[in-house]
């Protein structure tokens, strides 16, 4: 019968509680509880239940697949519309120049950046669950797409006579090259979208957890370096080949430096001026964020100024400054992606699909927490998959969430994806009506926009000091992700970083923290004895805790740490016992041998009567042996003294394994645990297990852990129950010994 008593605490007094109950073992506690009856379902029943359809279930699935049906009918027009309009215009103004600029990263003509800024954004409005992220072109993903496009369609693949100076031939060369690269980019978007769709329908949204924050930040920092180096040639107006694969950043930088003397001064001046203007604009927006109703759209201002200056001064013909060039007016007819390219780009598509989803879902979670709503990771996968796969039929390349645009969309008052739809409409107006006005735009202006937008990513170098202070392992993950992505390329770098991150998980489970717990006096609370002065060990009892599960990778280290921390090594005790027994046997043998020699000497020398012989024989017991007198007590030693002399003992009579942190046990871990119990029992130490969770109990049962030697009586629901039971058991054993 459990009795609980609570005392009301006055302001100066700590609240207390007192509980009177029996000391429970796990078996005793389970015997007093009534388990709920559950009817197990067969596989056929589970399938039938999941396939059962009702109007409520169909409606739920429809709302899940098309979230817009849920929030649009309840859209508060008066409260949300004005903010969404301002946010949509502000985001659309950013979307235009970034779409044009990031197309250069993707190695496709700028107009395809506009297509990628319209179709996916519009589609996400219907299928996305985040209210604030801005879908579209993004530097990292665009760079990955460009790397694949250049690898599959290098400059050398399209033949051009080196002696040809015909402008028509040169234009045809660039046109043929760009057409093939567009095909690769479109096929990559289609395949990455299909992968995201499959992962979403299979409920694999959890894959993003393997992209830890240090990994993603190290990877994106390396991507920022790749992007920055790739834009140097546009900023300087230098003609160099574009490289992809391992060491591409080194080759690109070397190519730029080798042709640094051919820098186009006009392009450099225009680009540098734009960089200064953009940095000033961003600083003003940052410092006067609360005072400005909307951020100053410096990017579109720079694009307009750059286009005007280029057209007025005829920079292309007069100073040989590269410009955007032809921007076709209107939308393209849908076309099927080149399916035959899929085998060559499969692994790249997987990497882009995972990175794109990771970027989107991480930003979506940040805004969801801030504004108090939830997102569905699986639905986000489906939404991105639809945006990429459906958009690829309209000549878009892979997209994801843009961090800079998302922050603008949220900070300017955006409440729903109506803002995103309005931004897409602005891009559509440029495509169908005024796109041709941006044809004189210098490419160096777009390079300046890209470089300035990398400012936030370069700030991530500050993570090194942060992780140095907080977690060395996360610092190593960051450095490995950065270095691998920088020198091996973004695709192989990402794979290397993920592999290394998983290895660190295994490393952490193999090197957990082991500690001995003690009791806070007069409480049932147990803490690390090395950490707090007030914590005291229970006499004769060692409480061992490891903050890890017990499985094949750490079973041996668990057993070694247990022996080291408790100071009780059954193998060493048994070896010492055997050594003591052998030493004692040798001493008895030596004593008997000396006694025999003395008796024989006495018998041979006696010529007198039997009485004298007997006296001498009795006196022989006092003859010296090894400098001491051999006493009959050596042979007639009492049982207690013999046992104390021969068998080394430990002051510990019980060891308690705290299983609170243990989440699972495999077959190797169960065998190790069973071996530990058996070894310690052989030296008179009882091993108990405390705070074992239900799932771990079930695993031990399935692994046939319990038998006649290892019973459920060794399991206790709490450490305190185990301690009290060990104290009672030791007291009973002591009384039994004293009665004997």
């Amino acid at each position: 019968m459990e009795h609980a008593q609570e005392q009301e605490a006055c302001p100066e007094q700590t609240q207390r509680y007192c509980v009177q109950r029996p000391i429970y073992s796990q078996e005793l506690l389970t015997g007093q509880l009534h388990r709920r009856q559950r009817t197990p379902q067969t596989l056929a029943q589970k399938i039938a239940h999941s396939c059962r359809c009702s109007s409520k279930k169909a409606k739920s699935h429809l709302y899940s697949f098309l979230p817009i049906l849920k929030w649009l009918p309840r859209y508060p027009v008066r409260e949300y519309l004005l903010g969404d309009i301002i946010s949509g215009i502000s985001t659309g103004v950013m979307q235009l120049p970034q779409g044009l600029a990031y197309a250069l990263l993707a190695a496709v003509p700028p107009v395809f950046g506009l297509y990628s800024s319209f179709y996916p954004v519009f589609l996400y409005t219907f299928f996305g669950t985040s209210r604030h992220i801005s879908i579209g072109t993004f530097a990292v993903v665009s760079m990955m797409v460009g790397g694949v496009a250049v690898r599959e369609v290098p400059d050398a693949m399209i033949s051009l006579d080196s002696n040809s100076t015909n402008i028509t031939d040169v234009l045809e060369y660039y046109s043929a090259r760009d057409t093939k690269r567009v095909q690769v980019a479109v096929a990559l978007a289609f395949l990455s979208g299909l992968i995201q769709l499959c992962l979403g329908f299979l409920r694999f949204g959890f894959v993003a957890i393997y992209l830890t924050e240090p990994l993603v930040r190290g990877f994106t920092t390396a991507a920022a370096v790749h992007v920055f180096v790739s834009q140097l040639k546009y900023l300087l107006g230098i003609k160099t080949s574009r490289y992809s694969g391992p060491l591409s950043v080194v080759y690109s930088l070397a190519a730029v430096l080798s042709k640094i003397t051919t820098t186009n001064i006009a392009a450099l001046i225009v680009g540098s001026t734009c960089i200064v203007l953009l940095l000033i604009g961003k600083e003003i927006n940052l410092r006067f964020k609360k005072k400005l109703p909307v951020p100053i759209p410096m990017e579109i201002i720079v694009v307009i100024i750059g286009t005007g200056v280029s057209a007025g001064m005829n920079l292309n013909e007069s100073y040989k400054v590269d410009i955007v060039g032809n921007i076709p007016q209107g939308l393209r007819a849908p076309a099927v992606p080149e399916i035959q390219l899929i085998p060559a780009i499969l692994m790249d598509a997987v990497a882009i699909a995972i990175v794109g989803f990771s970027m989107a879902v991480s930003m979506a979670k940040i805004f969801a927490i801030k504004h108090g709503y939830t997102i569905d990771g699986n639905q986000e996968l489906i939404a991105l998959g639809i945006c990429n796969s459906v958009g690829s039929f309209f000549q878009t390349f892979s997209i994801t969430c843009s961090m800079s645009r998302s922050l603008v969309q949220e900070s300017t008052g955006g409440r729903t994806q109506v803002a995103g739809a309005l931004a897409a409409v602005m891009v559509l107006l440029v495509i169908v009506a005024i796109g041709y006005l941006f044809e004189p735009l210098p490419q160096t202006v777009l390079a300046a926009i890209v470089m300035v937008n990398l400012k936030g990513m370069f700030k991530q170098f500050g993570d090194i000091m942060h992780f140095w202070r907080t977690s060395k392992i996360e610092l190593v993950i960051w450095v490995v992700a950065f270095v691998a992505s920088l020198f091996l390329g973004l695709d192989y770098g990402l794979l290397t970083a993920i592999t290394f991150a998983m290895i660190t998980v295994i490393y952490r489970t193999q090197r957990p923290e082991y500690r001995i717990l003690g009791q806070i006096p007069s409480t049932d609370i147990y803490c690390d004895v090395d950490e707090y002065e007030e914590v005291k060990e229970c006499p004769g009892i060692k409480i061992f805790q490891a903050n890890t599960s017990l499985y094949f990778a750490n079973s041996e280290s668990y057993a070694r740490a247990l022996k080291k921390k408790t100071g009780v090594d059954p193998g060493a005790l048994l070896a010492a016992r055997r050594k003591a027994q052998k030493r004692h046997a040798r001493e008895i043998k030596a004593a008997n041998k000396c006694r025999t020699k003395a008796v024989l000497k006495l018998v041979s020398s006696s010529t007198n009567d039997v009485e004298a012989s007997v006296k001498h024989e009795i006196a022989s017991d006092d003859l010296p042996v090894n400098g001491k007198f051999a006493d009959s007590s050596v042979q007639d030693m009492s049982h207690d003294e013999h046992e104390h002399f021969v068998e080394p003992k430990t002051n510990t009579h019980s060891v308690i394994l705290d299983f609170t942190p243990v989440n699972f046990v495999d077959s190797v871990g169960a065998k190790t645990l069973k071996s530990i119990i058996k070894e310690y029992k052989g030296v008179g130490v009882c091993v108990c297990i405390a705070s074992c969770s239900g799932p771990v109990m079930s695993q031990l049962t399935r692994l046939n852990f319990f038998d006649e030697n290892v019973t459920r009586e060794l399991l206790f629901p709490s450490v305190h129950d185990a301690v009290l039971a060990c104290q009672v058991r030791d007291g009973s054993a002591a009384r039994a010994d004293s009665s004997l």
Side-chain angles (χ1 to χ4, degrees), residues 100-121:
L100 294 169
Y102 292 156
L104 296 180
L105 292 177
V108 297
V111 68
F112 293 94
L114 295 180
Y115 298 153
S116 301
S117 299
F118 167 63
Y119 291 106
V121 178

Side-chain angles (χ1 to χ4, degrees), residues 100 104 108-112 114 171 178 307 310 316 321-329 434-444 446:
L100 294 169
L104 296 180
V108 297
V111 68
F112 293 94
L114 295 180
L171 292 177
D178 291 344
T307 303
S310 177
N316 180 237
V321 175
D322 291 330
I323 60 174
V324 168
N326 180 44
I327 297 180
Q329 199 165 355
I434 60 174
Y436 68 93
L437 295 176
F438 296 101
E439 290 180 358
L441 177 64
Q443 291 186 0
T444 185
L446 298 179

Side-chain angles (χ1 to χ4, degrees), residues 232-354:
L232 285 175
K233 67 176 185 177
Y234 297 111
L235 179 68
L236 302 174
I238 295 174
K239 304 290 184 185
T240 64
S241 298
R242 181 163 176 171
Y243 299 92
S244 64
L247 299 179
S248 60
V249 69
V250 178
Y251 296 143
S252 299
L253 188 59
V256 170
L257 294 177
S258 66
K259 293 188 177 183
I260 195 72
T261 55
T262 64
T263 299
N264 188 314
I265 302 301
L268 178 59
I269 292 173
V270 172
S272 302
T273 303
C274 291
I275 289 176
V276 171
L277 291 175
L278 288 167
L279 289 174
I280 292 173
K282 285 186 176 293
E283 189 65 24
I284 292 173
N285 287 334
L286 183 62
R287 291 199 175 189
F288 301 98
K289 182 178 180 180
K290 296 182 179 180
K291 296 182 179 180
L292 292 173
V294 293
I296 299 174
M298 208 63 205
E299 292 178 343
I300 195 65
I301 292 173
V302 164
V303 167
I304 293 172
I305 294 174
T307 303
V309 171
S310 177
M313 299 181 63
N314 199 9
L315 294 179
N316 180 237
E317 295 184 3
S318 302
Y319 299 95
K320 305 300 180 185
V321 175
D322 291 330
I323 60 174
V324 168
N326 180 44
I327 297 180
Q329 199 165 355
L331 299 173
R332 290 195 170 203
V336 178
E338 299 291 334
I339 307 298
Q340 66 270 18
L341 295 172
I342 288 179
I345 61 175
L346 178 59
M347 294 309 299
D348 302 288
V350 173
I352 289 174
I354 294 176

Side-chain angles (χ1 to χ4, degrees), residues 538-557:
C538 302
I541 301 174
K542 296 288 186 180
I543 306 170
F544 178 77
Q545 184 190 73
N547 62 336
T548 182
S549 297
L550 187 59
Y551 69 114
F552 69 93
N554 63 1
S555 294
E556 291 186 8
S557 61

Side-chain angles (χ1 to χ4, degrees), residues 200-482:
F201 284 124
L202 293 174
R203 322 305 288 175
F204 267 59
F206 65 87
V207 295
I209 64 176
Y210 294 104
L211 297 177
T212 65
E213 183 184 4
L215 187 152
V216 171
R217 294 177 74 86
F219 172 78
T220 53
T221 306
V225 176
H226 275 277
V227 171
F228 186 86
V229 171
S230 72
Q231 295 303 295
L232 285 175
K233 67 176 185 177
Y234 297 111
L235 179 68
L236 302 174
I238 295 174
K239 304 290 184 185
T240 64
S241 298
R242 181 163 176 171
Y243 299 92
S244 64
L247 299 179
S248 60
V249 69
V250 178
Y251 296 143
S252 299
L253 188 59
V256 170
L257 294 177
S258 66
K259 293 188 177 183
I260 195 72
T261 55
T262 64
T263 299
N264 188 314
I265 302 301
L268 178 59
I269 292 173
V270 172
S272 302
T273 303
C274 291
I275 289 176
V276 171
L277 291 175
L278 288 167
L279 289 174
I280 292 173
K282 285 186 176 293
E283 189 65 24
I284 292 173
N285 287 334
L286 183 62
R287 291 199 175 189
F288 301 98
K289 182 178 180 180
K290 296 182 179 180
K291 296 182 179 180
L292 292 173
V294 293
I296 299 174
M298 208 63 205
E299 292 178 343
I300 195 65
I301 292 173
V302 164
V303 167
I304 293 172
I305 294 174
T307 303
V309 171
S310 177
M313 299 181 63
N314 199 9
L315 294 179
N316 180 237
E317 295 184 3
S318 302
Y319 299 95
K320 305 300 180 185
V321 175
D322 291 330
I323 60 174
V324 168
N326 180 44
I327 297 180
Q329 199 165 355
L331 299 173
R332 290 195 170 203
V336 178
E338 299 291 334
I339 307 298
Q340 66 270 18
L341 295 172
I342 288 179
I345 61 175
L346 178 59
M347 294 309 299
D348 302 288
V350 173
I352 289 174
I354 294 176
V355 171
F357 168 65
S358 176
M359 297 289 183
V361 79
S362 59
M363 285 298 295
K365 284 181 178 179
I366 290 172
F367 290 126
I369 293 172
K370 181 177 180 180
H371 294 277
Y373 63 92
T374 58
I375 63 161
D376 184 349
N378 293 308
Q379 181 59 28
E380 286 298 301
L381 264 175
I382 294 172
L384 288 173
I386 291 174
C387 291
N388 278 316
S389 57
V390 175
S392 67
F393 287 89
F394 298 93
Q395 311 297 294
T396 67
F397 55 84
S398 298
I399 53 85
T400 185
C401 159
S402 167
M403 290 186 282
S404 59
R405 291 197 309 272
S406 298
L407 291 171
V408 169
Q409 182 169 319
E410 187 262 348
S411 63
T412 52
R415 300 291 189 91
T416 65
Q417 280 302 328
V418 169
L422 292 174
V425 170
M426 288 190 64
V427 176
L428 177 63
L429 291 175
V430 173
I431 294 173
V432 300
I434 60 174
Y436 68 93
L437 295 176
F438 296 101
E439 290 180 358
L441 177 64
Q443 291 186 0
T444 185
V445 175
L446 298 179
I449 292 173
V450 172
M451 288 179 167
V452 172
N453 279 319
L454 296 175
K455 180 183 176 183
M457 291 188 189
F458 283 130
K459 286 183 177 179
Q460 293 177 161
F461 279 110
D463 293 344
I464 295 176
M465 293 305 300
H466 169 71
F467 289 127
W468 176 263
R469 292 190 299 266
T470 57
S471 173
K472 300 296 190 296
I473 291 181
E474 290 188 330
L475 172 62
V476 175
I477 293 175
W478 192 101
V479 172
V480 169
F482 174 78

Side-chain angles (χ1 to χ4, degrees), residues 512-632:
E513 292 184 5
Y514 300 106
R515 56 179 66 90
I516 294 295
L517 305 184
Q519 184 183 23
I520 298 178
S522 304
T523 71
D524 60 351
I525 301 173
Y526 294 83
C527 301
D528 189 351
V529 295
D530 295 330
E531 190 169 353
Y532 302 103
E533 296 179 356
E534 294 83 2
V535 175
K536 305 297 180 184
E537 288 190 57
C538 302
I541 301 174
K542 296 288 186 180
I543 306 170
F544 178 77
Q545 184 190 73
N547 62 336
T548 182
S549 297
L550 187 59
Y551 69 114
F552 69 93
N554 63 1
S555 294
E556 291 186 8
S557 61
Y558 185 93
R560 286 197 303 268
L562 175 64
K563 295 172 184 177
K564 183 178 179 180
K565 281 287 187 179
T566 59
V568 181
D569 187 344
L573 284 173
L574 290 174
R577 184 175 297 179
R578 287 192 294 267
K579 186 176 180 180
Q581 288 174 341
K582 290 179 181 179
R583 185 175 68 251
H584 184 61
R586 285 196 303 269
E587 291 183 359
I588 292 177
K589 186 176 180 181
N592 289 336
K593 187 175 181 180
C594 291
R595 187 182 298 108
T596 302
K597 286 183 180 180
V599 171
L600 291 175
K601 182 177 180 181
L602 183 64
V603 170
S604 62
S605 62
S606 69
T607 54
N608 298 326
D609 55 4
V610 176
E611 181 180 354
S613 175
V614 171
K615 289 181 179 179
H616 280 287
E617 184 178 355
I618 295 173
S620 67
D621 287 340
D622 297 328
L623 290 176
V625 179
N626 293 330
K628 298 180 180 180
F629 287 93
D631 193 89
S632 61

Side-chain angles (χ1 to χ4, degrees), residues 22 88 125 159 214-216 276 358 368 384 506 509 533 627 646 656 658 668 675 731-732 738:
T125 303
S159 60
L215 187 152
V216 171
V276 171
S358 176
L384 288 173
I506 299 173
T509 60
E533 296 179 356
V646 174
I656 299 172
D658 182 10
V668 177
S675 174
S732 300
S738 62

